[in-house]
């Protein structure tokens, strides 16, 4: 197992003064307020780092981890107000530049996955992480991991739609689907799925519902696919808009949301999987919308390009732009709420916005 020994990213003490313009800060702090509901948190990361996922330890809700490109792993112990670099282990010797994609906790047990294929496991709330080997024959790159029961259970999905479950902390895995997206599309290419062609099957984005269902968007945005527990194969679906799909996910009520390119937002009818969608009047001013996150059943946030952040308080019927973020130079890729008081927006160039509890009715 690897214990945490934080790497000193600063220059030697003798050179700190001369290099003060380029040295990275040892810790991170809230830089400034952009709105009454969000603050931008300064992070000790290099320019160009894209933040990819964030998670908090349920048994210690102020303790969390933030992942990104260039082997970025940051830790907070105050609910995300400040962050410091976290050292998982000696990866530089391998000559690979890992991209940590996904982190998930259940109780004190947690998992981290990345690309190229890499996996870490903890049983003590992230104080210590053990690297667990992943098979080189894994179809595709690990994209999302979910800690299931706090007793060694987890579920892993790759960008080729391979779903695997483990009950012994990733020592062995059992396939949940019989074929990858490639194989499904090759078998169903004549079934009327627009844009599905031979050997084009991989996911640009994939999201998991609380009941274990998945929705994945094809890399070209031509169509989407769904899978529910107990199904043998992925189910392909035509897109609802003439514009290509940017991202899809699940609402709090179990229904689907869909983002099309050009800032279009759609909600699926009813709960569960649907091919019938209703467009929402979001008013994105032509900026692309990239993600949707639910703080409560009624309060919804949508993030996008050029610092776009929009809010709805009626479940997505009407939206209002956070004008205080208009000057933010960056794309906001992910909106994630651990609970109604703990929320973050993740972007490029190390942009992290923290939700301010008590700022919403």
């Amino acid at each position: 197992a690897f214990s945490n020994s934080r790497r000193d990213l600063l220059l030697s003490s003798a050179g700190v003064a001369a290099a003060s313009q380029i040295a990275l800060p040892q810790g991170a702090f809230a830089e400034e307020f952009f709105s009454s509901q969000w603050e931008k948190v300064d992070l000790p990361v290099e320019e160009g780092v894209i933040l990819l996922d964030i998670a908090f330890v349920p048994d210690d809700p102020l303790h969390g981890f933030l992942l990104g490109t260039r082997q970025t792993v940051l830790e907070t112990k105050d609910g995300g107000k400040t962050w410091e670099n976290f050292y998982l282990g000696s990866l530089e010797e391998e000559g690979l530049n890992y991209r940590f994609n996904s982190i998930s906790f259940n109780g004190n047990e947690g998992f981290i996955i990345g690309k190229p294929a890499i996996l870490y496991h903890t049983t003590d709330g992230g104080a210590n992480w053990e690297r667990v080997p992943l098979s080189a024959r894994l179809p595709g790159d690990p994209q999302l991991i979910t800690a299931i029961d706090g007793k060694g259970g987890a579920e892993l999905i790759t960008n080729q739609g391979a779903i695997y479950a483990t009950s012994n902390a990733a020592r062995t895995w059992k396939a949940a689907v019989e074929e990858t997206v490639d194989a499904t599309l090759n078998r169903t290419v004549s079934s009327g799925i627009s844009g599905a062609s031979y050997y084009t099957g991989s996911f640009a984005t994939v999201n998991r519902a609380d009941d274990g269902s998945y929705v994945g968007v094809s890399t070209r945005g031509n169509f989407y696919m769904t899978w529910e527990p107990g199904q043998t194969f992925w189910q392909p679906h035509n897109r609802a808009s003439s514009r290509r799909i940017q991202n899809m996910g699940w609402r709090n009520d179990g229904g689907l949301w869909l983002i099309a390119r050009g800032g279009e937002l759609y909600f699926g009818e009813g709960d569960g999987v649907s091919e019938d969608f209703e467009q929402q009047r979001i008013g994105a001013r032509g900026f692309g919308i990239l993600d949707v996150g639910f703080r409560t059943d009624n309060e919804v946030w949508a993030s996008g390009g050029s610092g776009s952040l929009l809010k709805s308080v009626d479940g997505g019927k009407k939206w209002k732009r956070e004008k205080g973020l208009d000057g933010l130079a960056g794309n906001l890729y992910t909106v994630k709420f651990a609970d109604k008081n703990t929320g973050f927006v993740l972007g490029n160039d190390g942009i992290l916005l923290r939700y301010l509890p008590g700022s919403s009715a």
Side-chain angles (χ1 to χ4, degrees):
F2 294 104
S3 62
N4 178 33
S5 56
R6 294 183 183 83
R7 180 169 299 172
D8 183 8
L9 294 180
L10 295 176
L11 303 176
S12 63
S13 57
V16 167
S20 60
Q21 297 302 312
I22 61 173
L24 298 175
Q26 180 74 4
F29 53 90
E31 186 181 72
E32 57 185 300
F33 289 87
F34 280 78
S35 73
S36 62
Q37 297 188 266
W38 297 90
E39 67 178 6
K40 185 175 182 292
V41 181
D42 185 42
L43 299 178
V45 297
E46 303 172 359
E47 290 185 5
V49 167
I50 300 173
L51 303 178
L52 298 174
D53 201 11
I54 189 170
F56 286 79
V57 183
D59 293 347
D60 185 6
L62 296 181
H63 187 200
F65 293 86
L66 179 62
L67 308 183
T69 58
R70 302 183 189 177
Q71 302 176 173
T72 298
V73 182
L74 304 177
E75 179 186 31
T76 181
K77 294 184 178 180
D78 59 10
K81 297 177 182 178
T82 62
W83 297 83
E84 293 185 350
N85 284 282
F86 189 93
Y87 184 54
L88 277 178
S90 181
L91 298 174
E92 291 79 2
E93 300 173 0
E94 301 179 23
L96 298 173
N97 188 4
Y98 286 99
R99 171 190 180 104
F100 291 117
N101 294 333
S102 178
I103 180 170
S104 178
F105 281 95
N106 190 302
N108 280 321
E109 183 175 47
F111 296 86
I112 290 174
I113 58 167
K115 171 187 177 182
I118 190 170
L119 185 147
Y120 285 90
H121 174 240
T122 181
T123 58
D124 57 10
N128 299 276
W129 294 85
E130 176 190 9
R131 184 170 175 178
V132 182
L134 279 175
S135 172
R137 295 178 295 177
L138 188 72
D141 298 315
Q143 193 157 354
L144 181 69
I145 194 160
T146 305
I148 299 297
D149 56 12
K151 301 177 181 178
E155 197 169 80
L156 167 70
I157 182 170
T158 74
N159 66 339
Q160 290 188 11
I163 303 174
Y164 292 95
T166 181
S167 59
N168 55 10
R171 266 56 185 182
T172 60
W173 297 87
K174 182 179 180 181
V177 291
E178 293 188 6
E179 60 187 18
T180 62
V181 175
D182 277 343
T184 298
L185 292 179
N186 294 339
R187 180 171 53 81
T188 62
V189 68
S190 61
S191 64
I193 300 304
S194 176
S197 58
Y198 198 64
Y199 291 134
T200 60
S202 61
F203 290 142
T205 66
V206 63
N207 280 297
R208 185 181 189 274
D210 291 339
D211 66 359
S213 300
Y214 286 95
V215 59
V217 175
S218 69
T219 50
R220 293 188 298 178
N222 291 20
F223 56 93
Y224 67 98
M225 303 183 76
T226 58
W227 180 86
E228 299 176 23
Q231 291 182 334
T232 307
F233 309 107
W234 284 90
Q235 309 297 313
H237 307 270
N238 286 313
R239 64 180 187 258
S241 168
S242 60
R243 296 187 176 183
R244 298 194 178 196
I245 305 171
Q246 182 74 47
N247 195 4
M248 292 184 70
W250 305 91
R251 304 191 304 267
N252 279 11
D253 64 6
L256 287 168
W257 55 259
L258 181 154
I259 297 170
R261 297 181 186 179
E264 294 182 354
L265 175 64
Y266 297 81
F267 283 178
E269 293 186 5
D271 55 9
V273 175
S274 174
E275 292 188 350
D276 297 318
F277 287 82
E278 180 181 353
Q279 186 171 0
Q280 310 298 303
R281 301 184 63 178
I282 191 168
R285 300 184 300 151
F287 292 113
I289 299 298
L290 301 174
D291 195 26
V292 171
F294 285 76
R295 192 181 79 88
T296 66
D297 290 345
N298 291 320
E299 185 175 316
V300 195
W301 291 86
S303 66
S306 300
S308 299
L309 193 62
L310 301 102
K311 174 188 177 183
S312 171
V313 294
D314 57 8
K317 295 181 178 65
K318 297 179 182 178
W319 295 82
K320 184 177 181 181
R321 191 174 87 254
E322 278 290 288
K323 296 181 180 179
L325 294 172
D326 286 351
L328 183 63
N331 296 325
L332 306 178
Y333 292 114
T334 304
V335 183
K336 198 164 186 179
F337 286 92
D339 54 53
K340 68 178 183 179
N341 293 318
T342 307
F344 294 87
V345 178
L346 284 58
N348 65 339
D349 277 334
I351 294 175
L352 179 69
L353 303 180
R354 186 179 77 91
Y355 178 76
L356 300 175
S359 60
S360 288

